[in-house]
Amino acid sequence: MRKWLLLLTLTSLAVILVACGEDTTKGNGSTDNGTTGDNAEAAKSYTFKLGHEAAESHIKFKVAEKFAEELEKASDGRMKVDLYPSNQLGKEADMAQQVQSGTLEFAILSNGTMSSISESLNGWFMPYLFEDIKAAEKAVDSAEAKQMMTDLEQKNMIGYGVFFAGQRHIFAKKEINSVEDLKGLKIRIPGSPVFESYYKAINASPASMPLPEVYTSLSTGVIDAVDTDLDAALSQKFYEAVENLTLTGHIIFPEVVIASKTLIDGLNEEDQKLIADTWNEVIKWGIAESISKNENLLNELKDLGVKVTELSNYSEFKEASQKVYDQYSSNEVIKAFIEANQ
């Protein structure tokens, strides 16, 4: 009898030990591929969401697509990214909130939206701070630009950097050659206080409105002009409503790459680095694409019959810009950014 009880006890103990050795935890929809310990953590698989507002022809979409491809490749298929373009997840302000709350992993949002969340990002909007995108590219890795990304952590966001939709120019019903030509001109601007300050400094009449409303407003005379990059000018067909494009190049327009800090903090160090390294390379690729694409866009607009004017004298525009610099230099990061790039 005792032998039988001893045998039963040993058998039960063996079953318990085997069960304790099995790892059945798969948190966050991930799988451990049969590994345990640190290897199990490293082998988890993820499917992330990435949202933005642009259509497939825009540089934003192409950068998002490139990130999805490169991250899947770099992670050996462990990390996939589902793309949600064209405001499928809501407007930019909605997506920003989703990233902050941790319900959206990644987003590419315009600096107009992001600078309303974190003030220091307005540094990128200082008029005539950069001659062109190539000049702005040199500032991307500066200490001041990196501090702008660090500032986003206070908003529960990780900022990986910026690439550029292009330079801002003016599409108008009349040819623009001087500050005087802009006096009283009703011009559509992005929703940004910096743009408003700049145009008021040159005595224009700025008005913010959603991009989809611009074409009709130009056609019906609600506005006389639009502040735009070449990509939007072509994709939104502004050339059908007005024919004069003045290459003012007054502001570089960044797109900000962000992630949920909640998400990133929950990953192991190796996966955090993998994502950061992938974004770093994709952002560089996006800047190069933007430089190349803008040259092609200008030629396309010329072929469509757009009358292109290049300013011969920028001095009066730059003089007005100093008022904007003074207004925003109370922010130490913006002040340092201006001084580093003037």
Side-chain angles (χ1 to χ4, degrees):
M1 181 66 176
R2 289 180 179 177
K3 290 182 179 180
W4 181 84
L5 287 173
L6 179 60
L7 180 61
L8 180 61
T9 301
L10 291 174
T11 302
S12 299
L13 181 60
V15 170
I16 291 170
L17 289 172
V18 170
C20 289
E22 293 178 351
D23 182 6
T24 58
T25 302
K26 311 288 188 186
N28 299 320
S30 61
T31 58
D32 62 20
N33 299 323
T35 58
T36 59
D38 293 339
N39 289 333
E41 181 68 19
K44 284 184 178 179
S45 298
Y46 301 90
T47 298
F48 303 127
K49 293 179 294 183
L50 191 165
H52 63 85
E53 69 170 352
E56 292 187 13
S57 61
H58 198 274
I59 185 66
K60 242 187 223 188
F61 182 91
K62 297 184 184 304
V63 167
E65 192 174 50
K66 181 74 170 176
F67 174 68
E69 293 172 357
E70 294 301 322
L71 186 63
E72 184 171 356
K73 187 189 304 179
S75 66
D76 294 325
R78 286 193 305 110
M79 296 183 180
K80 300 182 185 297
V81 183
D82 290 338
L83 304 181
Y84 295 86
S86 303
N87 286 337
Q88 290 181 35
L89 300 178
K91 295 181 180 180
E92 286 203 328
D94 299 321
M95 287 185 276
Q97 290 180 352
Q98 291 165 28
V99 170
Q100 288 177 298
S101 68
T103 58
L104 175 61
E105 289 89 356
F106 298 106
I108 302 174
L109 304 181
S110 71
N111 199 57
T113 295
M114 292 304 300
S115 59
S116 69
I117 295 171
S118 184
E119 183 187 32
S120 62
L121 282 166
N122 279 310
W124 281 109
F125 278 163
M126 294 298 102
Y128 291 104
L129 196 58
F130 302 104
E131 182 178 350
D132 52 28
I133 298 176
K134 289 181 180 179
E137 181 183 15
K138 297 176 183 177
V140 169
D141 293 323
S142 66
E144 296 79 16
K146 289 180 178 178
Q147 183 60 49
M148 293 177 196
M149 296 298 104
T150 300
D151 288 348
L152 289 172
E153 294 182 18
Q154 300 172 21
K155 307 297 182 179
N156 201 37
M157 296 174 169
I158 298 293
Y160 287 109
V162 303
F163 60 96
F164 307 102
Q167 281 180 278
R168 307 298 289 193
H169 305 291
I170 299 174
F171 237 113
K173 293 181 178 179
K174 67 177 184 178
E175 187 175 330
I176 305 296
N177 289 293
S178 66
V179 167
E180 183 64 26
D181 292 332
L182 285 163
K183 187 175 182 179
L185 197 74
K186 294 178 291 184
I187 184 167
R188 183 267 178 181
I189 61 170
S192 163
V194 179
F195 278 76
E196 185 173 358
S197 296
Y198 170 67
Y199 277 105
K200 285 183 176 179
I202 54 179
N203 297 314
S205 297
S208 176
M209 69 174 62
L211 189 62
E213 296 178 14
V214 175
Y215 180 91
T216 301
S217 297
L218 282 171
S219 300
T220 58
V222 173
I223 55 175
D224 305 309
V226 54
D227 178 300
T228 182
D229 59 70
L230 299 182
D231 198 337
L234 193 63
S235 62
Q236 299 295 317
K237 299 185 178 181
F238 295 153
Y239 54 85
E240 293 181 351
V242 292
E243 63 178 13
N244 292 286
L245 170 62
T246 301
L247 299 176
T248 53
H250 48 285
I251 289 174
I252 300 290
F253 203 86
E255 303 291 350
V256 187
V257 175
I258 59 172
S260 166
K261 190 173 186 298
T262 301
L263 161 73
I264 298 302
D265 286 351
L267 301 177
N268 63 46
E269 290 184 7
E270 291 79 8
D271 282 349
Q272 288 182 23
K273 185 176 186 302
L274 181 64
I275 290 171
D277 289 347
T278 302
W279 268 126
N280 184 50
E281 292 304 313
V282 171
I283 286 170
K284 289 178 181 177
W285 176 88
I287 294 173
E289 281 290 299
S290 183
I291 292 171
S292 174
K293 185 177 183 181
N294 272 271
E295 294 174 356
N296 295 332
L297 289 171
L298 182 58
N299 290 329
E300 286 185 54
L301 287 166
K302 288 179 179 178
D303 291 341
L304 287 165
V306 172
K307 183 179 180 182
V308 178
T309 300
E310 294 192 37
L311 289 177
S312 57
N313 183 9
Y314 288 92
S315 59
E316 56 182 347
F317 289 89
K318 291 181 178 180
E319 186 177 331
S321 300
Q322 188 59 51
K323 299 177 183 178
V324 183
Y325 294 177
D326 294 342
Q327 180 180 345
Y328 285 89
S329 287
S330 58
N331 182 291
E332 291 300 320
V333 177
I334 294 176
K335 181 180 180 182
F337 192 65
I338 292 171
E339 292 173 350
N341 292 288
Q342 272 186 313

